[in-house]
Amino acid sequence: TGYGLAEVHNESWFERFVAPRDEERVRTVFSRAVSGRSVRGTVNAILTKTGEQRIIRWYAEPLRDADGRIESVLCGGEDITEQVRASEEVQRLARIARERERLADLGAIAARLVHDLGNPISGLSMQAQLLMRRVRKQRRPAAEPLLQPAERILAAVDRLNTLIRGFMDFAREQRLEIEDVDIGDLARSVLDLWAAQRSDGGVALELECSPQAGTVRGDASKIRRVLENLVKNAIDAIGDRPGVVRVTI
């Protein structure tokens, strides 16, 4: 326990060494030993001088006098803290292994789903683009109403492709490419990309970057994806109305 005998002389064992959550149970076990019953393998934590808890497996045997009366109880404890910790670590690793197996199964399903969806979505995109090119090339007023539905098809295909890329990322093992990332430059490049796509001018994109922003340690591609999703969601929320998307760093 770390205590000297003089430091705990005449003190209650239960109050000094037993964790409050175990006190009632330990008192019950001790009462059984005092009443004449042997104790085998009872486990509880004790508090050390440093505040650390050690896990002890206890054994207790009543000692009797010549007339068979109990005059004392002999108690012995085995410190099994490291065994308990090792067992908990094994259980933790087993849980991780089971989770990885489950994710591997889901990854295989996702990979098959991506494969099955990829070709028809590509075909749908090509047909929509072909329709738009023909309408614009012919410049016939009667065909103009077909442009907006075709654009909506392409937008839906783009969203589906984004979902498919997400499935592909999930299906393969994830590795982080950690590097120094200039967060201001990264945000600026994201906004420049979206500004080009939103050339109609309905939504203004603004960046407020503090000089103290500097660089961060991270995976640039994944940070970019987070920023792109945030900007896209903000633009989608504004819709066809004029508005401002402001990124502050």
Side-chain angles (χ1 to χ4, degrees):
T1 64
Y3 289 101
L5 182 59
E7 294 179 272
V8 295
H9 184 63
N10 286 333
E11 288 199 31
S12 167
W13 164 264
F14 302 103
E15 295 176 3
R16 169 65 76 171
F17 295 107
V18 179
R21 69 175 184 274
D22 292 333
E23 183 174 343
E24 183 177 353
R25 180 172 61 86
V26 173
R27 286 183 180 273
T28 300
V29 172
F30 185 75
S31 296
R32 290 208 310 266
V34 171
S35 67
R37 287 178 288 177
S38 299
V39 174
R40 295 286 185 273
T42 296
V43 176
N44 67 271
I46 65 169
L47 303 175
T48 67
K49 189 174 183 178
T50 62
E52 179 189 10
Q53 291 193 8
R54 305 294 296 182
I55 310 301
I56 309 297
R57 179 185 290 126
W58 294 101
Y59 301 87
E61 189 71 31
L63 300 179
R64 303 175 184 273
D65 60 17
D67 297 325
R69 292 172 298 189
I70 298 174
E71 60 179 5
S72 61
V73 176
L74 176 64
C75 296
E78 176 188 4
D79 189 337
I80 60 171
T81 305
E82 303 308 323
Q83 297 177 33
V84 171
R85 289 174 179 171
S87 176
E88 291 173 347
E89 180 65 11
V90 169
Q91 293 176 21
R92 186 185 71 83
L93 293 175
R95 287 195 299 270
I96 292 175
R98 289 193 298 270
E99 182 66 14
R100 286 181 176 174
E101 289 177 1
R102 187 183 70 85
L103 291 176
D105 291 340
L106 291 176
I109 294 172
R112 181 58 185 268
L113 181 62
V114 167
H115 180 270
D116 291 345
L117 288 177
N119 289 336
I121 289 176
S122 296
L124 181 61
S125 176
M126 291 175 62
Q127 292 299 318
Q129 293 180 53
L130 179 62
L131 174 62
M132 292 177 65
R133 283 198 297 269
R134 288 182 175 178
V135 169
R136 287 168 177 163
K137 183 177 181 180
Q138 294 176 4
R139 297 183 179 178
R140 295 170 56 184
E144 290 293 327
L146 296 176
L147 278 176
Q148 189 173 15
E151 290 173 349
R152 289 176 178 171
I153 290 173
L154 285 177
V157 167
D158 183 62
R159 287 194 292 272
L160 285 173
N161 280 327
T162 299
L163 290 174
I164 286 176
R165 286 194 297 271
F167 276 124
M168 292 175 65
D169 289 341
F170 177 77
R172 60 175 175 259
E173 184 179 358
Q174 295 291 299
R175 286 187 174 88
L176 295 177
E177 301 294 336
I178 304 300
E179 59 183 327
D180 290 328
V181 180
D182 188 315
I183 194 67
D185 287 349
L186 184 62
R188 193 172 294 107
S189 67
V190 170
L191 291 185
D192 288 345
L193 175 64
W194 278 97
Q197 295 184 24
R198 299 288 298 189
S199 56
D200 55 5
V203 178
L205 304 178
E206 299 180 358
L207 173 63
E208 294 182 359
C209 187
S210 168
Q212 287 77 37
T215 61
V216 297
R217 295 285 293 170
D219 187 310
S221 64
K222 289 180 172 52
I223 297 175
R224 173 182 290 276
R225 184 178 302 175
V226 170
L227 289 174
E228 287 178 346
N229 286 337
L230 290 173
V231 172
K232 178 181 181 300
N233 291 341
I235 292 174
D236 289 345
I238 293 174
D240 297 329
R241 299 166 297 171
V244 177
V245 174
R246 182 178 296 109
V247 177
T248 303
I249 299 176

